[in-house]
Amino acid sequence: MSQPVLQIIIASTRPGRVGLPVAQWFDGVARAQGSFDVEVLDLAEVALPLFDEAGHPIARQYQHAHTVAWSETIDRGDAFVIVHPEYNHSYNAAIKNALDYLHAEWNYKPVGFVSYGGVSAGTRAMTALKPVVAALRMIPTVEAVNIPFVAQFIDDEGRFVPNDMLSMGAAGMLAELAKLERALAPLR
Ligand SMILES: Cc1cc2nc3c(=O)[nH]c(=O)nc-3n(C[C@H](O)[C@H](O)[C@H](O)COP(=O)(O)O)c2cc1C
């Protein structure tokens, strides 16, 4: 039987980004947890230009093939996890751009955050993202994975190796996402 679809969005697009190994770790955790069919959406591959639609996304009158493709992708999702860095005490531009492109496609779907950075663990960026996702009628989980000094968790092969706290945080956030996804389904 098919499960609801969890889309893990890799927000960072720069070459050598830490976001890729962090998302690969979370992907493995989410698949093992088993509540969702899991997809990874890499904004570096999606490669949306800076928002270039004439109309407000709420009208869904998309002019560009890249917007139609992004709309179809996000329509398929039932829940999201955004894996994101902190840039200059806030979110990175690519994730804001990707969110701004659409509207109804995001509505009434839960979202969790895996944030990372230096001393702040990306929490300033996560806090800045919350009103953005709220405007899109997404429901953020209270549970989150916030990774401080992220470089310490990257091994010599470039893999992300979590500690127990981060693993527990991921499990708690996934459980909450599954609960919220079921509750929000009738609204979609
Ligand atoms: C443009 C830029 C701004 C940054 N600003 C912050 C910041 O405000 N707070 C922080 O903790 N780390 C900051 N960093 C460090 C990032 O957390 C670190 O480079 C991280 O690896 C970036 O994620 P990424 O590798 O997935 O792109 C910044 C990095 C870049 C490239």
Side-chain angles (χ1 to χ4, degrees):
M1 213 174 98
S2 72
Q3 307 260 50
V5 172
L6 174 71
Q7 295 178 322
I8 299 169
I9 300 176
I10 306 177
S12 175
T13 56
R14 70 178 188 90
R17 63 231 154 109
V18 170
L20 183 60
V22 173
Q24 287 167 339
W25 160 68
F26 194 86
D27 179 41
V29 174
R31 284 173 199 274
Q33 192 258 3
S35 296
F36 295 99
D37 289 339
V38 182
E39 297 179 9
V40 175
L41 308 181
D42 184 346
L43 293 188
E45 286 175 11
V46 175
L48 289 164
L50 272 180
F51 184 61
D52 61 355
E53 288 288 341
H56 192 294
I58 209 159
R60 290 186 90 148
Q61 300 294 313
Y62 302 133
Q63 296 178 332
H64 299 296
H66 55 255
T67 315
V68 173
W70 184 231
S71 167
E72 287 171 0
T73 299
I74 298 304
D75 247 353
R76 197 167 66 227
D78 298 300
F80 305 99
V81 166
I82 300 177
V83 177
H84 67 91
E86 178 170 297
Y87 285 177
N88 298 314
H89 294 193
S90 190
Y91 44 72
N92 66 311
I95 187 60
K96 179 65 160 57
N97 190 51
L99 288 162
D100 288 346
Y101 255 96
L102 308 176
H103 191 91
E105 298 87 336
W106 300 113
N107 288 181
Y108 303 115
K109 298 176 181 178
V111 57
F113 300 97
V114 177
S115 74
Y116 53 90
V119 67
S120 71
T123 52
R124 290 173 292 213
M126 183 185 76
T127 300
L129 273 170
K130 283 189 174 179
V132 178
V133 299
L136 294 166
R137 301 185 198 282
M138 300 165 90
I139 309 299
T141 60
V142 173
E143 290 77 3
V145 181
N146 305 118
I147 307 166
F149 298 108
V150 63
Q152 70 181 309
F153 297 106
I154 305 294
D155 73 8
D156 291 343
E157 273 82 52
R159 284 175 310 221
F160 180 78
V161 183
N163 60 20
D164 289 348
M165 292 268 286
L166 296 172
S167 296
M168 281 166 54
M173 187 171 76
L174 279 162
E176 186 71 0
L177 280 167
K179 197 190 289 184
L180 286 174
E181 190 285 324
R182 283 193 297 275
L184 292 169
L187 294 177
R188 295 201 289 276

